[in-house]
């Protein structure tokens, strides 16, 4: 671990039931296109990452990976997370740490330029990008490499959406971003791989907190 690496709260082996079942989470999941001006806690972000992408001896990984190759990494653009300077970080799924990327680029401004949806970029607290390692994929999957990278990235983001819903955190899966810009900034940190998919996270705005659908999951 380098001096600047940030440990995330340990995965909770007895992750408490929030009362939101998988079926309820699926029924209540809706893309959130605007978020409250409230920071996410490091625990919420850590849980999102740990439960979807984290690798533990006890649980393996929440999201499946062909042949347990795990060729898709998570890069976080943290805009408003308590205890986390606004910056880009690579998630280490075994150590449960965030390592800053070697860049001075400000995440909010960058997201505002790169995402097609400006309101999301203006208000989200954190954005997670799924970045593939094509060499690992080629080595493990051969002719299926491109397809398996995309499939794993999709499953990874879906896991995050469900964990977000479980925590009653707003989320939106985001496929429309400037591929070339994303690749240029995030690719080198992850072996130069393609930026495959992404999702935005933040607290619900007041209107959604008040909605009947949200209250029914309480
Ligand atoms: C692969 C994929 C890419 C998407 N990309 C975006 C996006 O770039 N921006 C956005 O606002 N929503 C995006 N969405 C969200 C869809 O627009 C949304 O799921 C759809 O409108 C249905 O609404 P719901 O998610 O609330 O059910 C994407 C969804 C998928 C599955």
């Amino acid at each position: 671990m380098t001096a600047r690496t940030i440990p995330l709260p340990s995965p909770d082996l007895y992750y408490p039931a929030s009362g939101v079942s998988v079926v309820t989470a699926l029924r209540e999941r809706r893309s959130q296109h605007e978020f409250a001006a409230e920071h996410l806690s490091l625990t919420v972000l850590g849980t999102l990452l740990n439960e979807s992408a984290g690798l533990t001896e006890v649980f393996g990984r929440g999201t499946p990976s062909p042949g347990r190759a795990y060729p898709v990494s998570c890069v976080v653009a943290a805009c408003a997370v308590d205890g986390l300077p606004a910056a880009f970080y690579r998630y280490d799924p075994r150590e449960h740490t965030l390592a800053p990327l070697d860049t001075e680029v400000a995440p909010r401004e960058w997201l505002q330029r790169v995402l097609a949806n400006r309101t999301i970029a203006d208000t989200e607290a954190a954005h997670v990008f799924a970045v593939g390692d094509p060499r690992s994929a080629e080595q493990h999957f051969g002719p299926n490499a491109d397809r398996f990278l995309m499939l794993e990235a999709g499953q990874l983001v879906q896991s995050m959406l469900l964990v977000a819903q479980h925590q009653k955190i707003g989320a939106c899966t985001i496929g429309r971003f400037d591929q070339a810009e994303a690749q240029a900034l995030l690719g080198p940190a992850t072996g130069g791989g393609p930026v495959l998919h992404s999702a935005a996270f933040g607290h619900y705005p007041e209107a959604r907190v008040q909605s009947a659908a949200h209250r029914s999951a309480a």
Side-chain angles (χ1 to χ4, degrees), residues 10-16 51 56 58-59:
S10 303
D12 184 352
L13 295 184
Y14 306 99
Y15 185 45
E51 299 299 337
T56 65
V58 181
F59 296 122

Side-chain angles (χ1 to χ4, degrees), residues 29-31 33 116-117 120 172-177 197:
R29 184 213 58 79
R30 284 295 169 276
S31 293
H33 294 106
N117 189 318
I120 290 178
C172 186
T173 182
I174 302 281
R176 282 184 296 144
F177 50 81
H197 203 10

Side-chain angles (χ1 to χ4, degrees), residues 102-169:
D102 188 15
T103 173
E104 299 295 317
V105 172
R108 175 82 68 202
E109 286 75 6
W110 185 81
L111 289 165
Q112 286 166 337
R113 213 174 54 246
V114 167
L115 299 192
N117 189 318
R118 177 68 193 238
T119 309
I120 290 178
D122 285 347
T123 59
E124 66 178 306
H127 200 104
V128 181
F129 290 89
V131 188
D133 178 340
R135 272 187 298 260
S136 167
E138 177 66 35
Q139 183 191 335
H140 288 95
F141 315 143
N144 287 317
D146 289 349
R147 202 162 58 88
F148 280 14
L149 277 178
M150 293 301 294
L151 290 168
E152 183 170 329
Q155 293 203 251
L156 193 51
V157 168
Q158 176 66 16
S159 296
M160 288 182 206
L161 300 187
L162 287 176
V163 180
Q165 192 63 39
H166 190 266
Q167 299 189 100
K168 299 187 180 172
I169 295 299

Side-chain angles (χ1 to χ4, degrees), residues 68-84:
R68 296 187 189 162
Y70 309 115
V72 180
S73 303
C74 292
V75 176
V76 181
C79 299
V81 181
D82 281 338
L84 201 56

